[in-house]
Amino acid sequence: CTAVCNERALGHALNQLELRQLYDPTGLQVLMERHRGRRGIAKLRGLAPDPTVVHEGFEERFRAEAEWREWPAPKYNEPLAVPGWYGLIDVLWEDRRLAVELDSRSSHLSMAQFEEDHRRDRALRRGGYLPLRITWAQYYEGVEEVDELLGASPRPGGRPRHRAR
């Protein structure tokens, strides 16, 4: 399909695979690497999430905050399967059953993504996880909530600097 489908149809196909719990991000990355340069792979690479990529800015900022606050080390862009959903969680504390999504407008503008976000949150709750969404506009409130949920306390003296990884 990657060679002949348009991006919309390919995106829909990836979404359906994920919804039916047939999506394997690691396997997809291996497949794209194996067929690098073939027709349609660049289109697929542009649509498929890469679990090794840090979401510029927002995730870097959150990582710096987590280090500064000395929270227990979370997993970033972690695959997770719960009943009714399989996908990547932006920031996961599996032992605390806390799943944080760092939501930017650019990634969550479409109606399909809006619906998927809510489907994911319900599935996470059914699976015993607490989903928490943090937006740029609500960043500090979200960080304070994570801090409370992890039982941590703020460190004195300024905010962490945003640094690239």
Side-chain angles (χ1 to χ4, degrees), residues 46-58:
L47 293 172
D50 182 348
T52 65
V53 170
V54 171
H55 302 133
E56 259 186 68
F58 203 178

Side-chain angles (χ1 to χ4, degrees), residues 15-125:
N15 189 44
Q16 290 302 306
L17 287 170
E18 188 173 344
L19 290 174
R20 295 177 183 166
Q21 300 179 21
L22 300 172
Y23 179 75
D24 174 13
T26 304
L28 184 59
Q29 296 301 320
V30 169
L31 178 76
M32 289 187 301
E33 189 62 33
R34 186 179 305 148
H35 297 286
R36 183 191 311 229
R38 294 191 69 183
R39 187 172 167 217
I41 294 299
K43 189 181 344 176
L44 181 60
R45 192 176 308 281
L47 293 172
D50 182 348
T52 65
V53 170
V54 171
H55 302 133
E56 259 186 68
F58 203 178
E59 190 169 304
E60 290 173 358
R61 180 180 182 184
F62 191 86
R63 283 179 188 240
E65 187 85 42
E67 289 174 14
W68 179 79
R69 290 178 179 261
E70 298 177 347
W71 289 337
K75 294 179 181 175
Y76 292 91
N77 301 308
E78 182 70 10
L80 181 67
V82 293
W85 186 81
Y86 174 80
L88 298 177
I89 301 296
D90 290 341
V91 188
L92 179 67
W93 282 273
E94 199 159 11
D95 59 330
R96 308 285 180 104
R97 310 293 282 182
L98 177 60
V100 174
E101 289 298 309
L102 304 172
D103 290 347
S104 64
R105 283 216 183 260
S106 63
S107 300
H108 299 269
L109 277 177
S110 73
M111 280 302 284
Q113 188 60 54
F114 176 83
E115 295 298 330
E116 177 58 22
D117 289 345
H118 289 273
R119 183 177 295 111
R120 172 189 310 184
D121 289 352
R122 282 193 315 279
L124 286 168
R125 283 191 296 275

